[in-house]
């Protein structure tokens, strides 16, 4: 019975160490990615940071995150908002709704005049175009 608990705790400790190791690798790769994407950092500083990360990955990652973490978060947020804006523009182009609200109301009025939609549907489309 004692052997089971010893091996169980060994298993838990091993899982914890693996979890920490994977987290450290993710942090290291995130730092390296941010390092290469940062256009405001001079090349020689990128080289120094990369060498520090190469020889002392855990300590280098911690120092980088504490020294440049705020800028890293700002760059990540700016990149995410740029991707989201590009995605929304692509969706508008693909859906064909990149026209002005006046053009959308005109198109809805044409559908109403043709009898394709009802007065309630026209009002709904008009409200959506003006929103």
């Amino acid at each position: 019975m004692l052997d089971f608990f010893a091996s169980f705790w060994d298993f838990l400790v091993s899982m914890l160490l693996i979890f920490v190791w994977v987290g450290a690798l993710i942090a290291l790769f995130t730092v390296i990615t941010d390092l290469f994407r940062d256009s405001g950092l001079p090349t020689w500083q990128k080289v120094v940071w990369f060498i520090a990360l190469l020889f002392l990955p855990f300590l280098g990652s911690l120092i980088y995150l504490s020294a440049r973490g705020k800028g890293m978060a700002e760059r990540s947020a700016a990149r995410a908002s740029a991707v989201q804006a590009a995605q929304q523009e692509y969706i508008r182009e693909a859906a064909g709704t990149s026209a002005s609200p006046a053009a959308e109301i005109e198109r809805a009025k044409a559908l109403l005049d043709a009898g394709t939609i009802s007065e309630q549907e026209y009002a709904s489309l008009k409200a959506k175009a003006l929103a």
Side-chain angles (χ1 to χ4, degrees), residues 18-33 57-58 61:
I18 290 171
F19 179 77
V20 169
W21 177 250
V22 169
L25 284 177
I26 290 172
L28 177 66
F29 292 133
T30 304
V31 165
I32 290 173
T33 302
F58 188 71
S61 296

Side-chain angles (χ1 to χ4, degrees), residues 53-116:
L53 291 169
L54 189 64
F55 289 112
L56 298 168
F58 188 71
L59 184 62
S61 296
L62 287 177
I63 293 171
Y64 186 90
L65 288 172
S66 65
R68 300 182 47 84
K70 184 177 181 185
M72 188 174 171
E74 291 169 354
R75 285 186 295 278
S76 177
R79 192 169 32 255
S81 65
V83 167
Q84 184 179 13
Q87 182 182 23
Q88 288 176 351
E89 181 62 30
Y90 172 76
I91 290 170
R92 280 191 205 99
E93 287 178 15
T97 59
S98 60
S100 67
E104 290 183 31
I105 293 172
E106 183 180 327
R107 192 175 6 197
K109 180 67 173 163
L111 289 173
L112 176 65
D113 292 342
T116 308

Side-chain angles (χ1 to χ4, degrees), residues 4-17:
F4 172 75
F5 287 113
S7 64
F8 176 72
W9 288 113
D10 289 341
F11 174 75
L12 284 180
V13 168
S14 298
M15 289 294 108
L16 179 66
L17 290 176

